[in-house]
Amino acid sequence: MFSHILSVLGYVVCTFAVQGTSHFVVNKAHYAAMPHLRAEPIVAMGISSMVIQGAVLTFLYSRSDLAERGLIGALVMAWAVGLVIVSYIALAEYGKYNVTGFASWATVEVTVGVIQFTLIGIALWLAHRFAGAAQAA
């Protein structure tokens, strides 16, 4: 159970750090140009989503054979879940919202997603490795 809590916490921290930096620092103008976004996001909704996503990720990971493959297995799991989430953001959100320039939209979302889910994979591996070591001691 400790590994799951650490994994969810790692997911939230990595996602908040990467997406927050993207939305409010690096790509601020990109997001500010979107008329459909709130001026002040409801942070609790985003954190709730991150907790659910992190819980699903660690559940799937712990029940897969990828958990036995070390860092590579954790990265594969994170990238697979990331592919589902980022494909929605890059494709379906572009299709729903009045966003100009598919290339710039997809470049930002895919690049940030790759960084985010790579860090999440590392955090997932560390959480399960740390919890396993603590349990063995």
Side-chain angles (χ1 to χ4, degrees):
M1 182 63 153
F2 186 55
S3 61
H4 295 297
I5 292 168
L6 286 177
S7 294
V8 172
L9 182 60
Y11 186 94
V12 170
V13 168
C14 290
T15 299
F16 197 81
V18 172
Q19 291 293 338
T21 301
S22 175
H23 281 71
F24 303 115
V25 180
V26 177
N27 298 306
K28 186 176 182 177
H30 171 78
Y31 291 105
M34 295 176 205
H36 67 277
L37 295 181
R38 294 176 183 270
E40 294 295 324
I42 304 170
V43 176
M45 299 299 275
I47 292 174
S48 297
S49 174
M50 288 183 249
V51 168
I52 292 167
Q53 292 167 2
V56 170
L57 175 66
T58 188
F59 173 81
L60 293 173
Y61 177 70
S62 68
R63 282 155 180 78
S64 75
D65 65 343
L66 292 172
E68 300 166 7
R69 297 184 185 179
L71 177 58
I72 297 300
L75 287 169
V76 167
M77 178 60 74
W79 290 333
V81 170
L83 185 59
V84 172
I85 294 170
V86 173
S87 69
Y88 169 77
I89 294 167
L91 301 174
E93 283 190 354
Y94 180 83
K96 289 190 311 185
Y97 302 127
N98 188 18
V99 179
T100 57
F102 176 75
S104 65
W105 171 265
T107 299
V108 167
E109 299 304 334
V110 170
T111 302
V112 171
V114 168
I115 294 166
Q116 174 187 351
F117 284 94
T118 298
L119 292 175
I120 287 168
I122 294 167
L124 181 65
W125 173 69
L126 288 172
H128 285 262
R129 184 172 183 224
F130 175 76
Q135 191 175 28

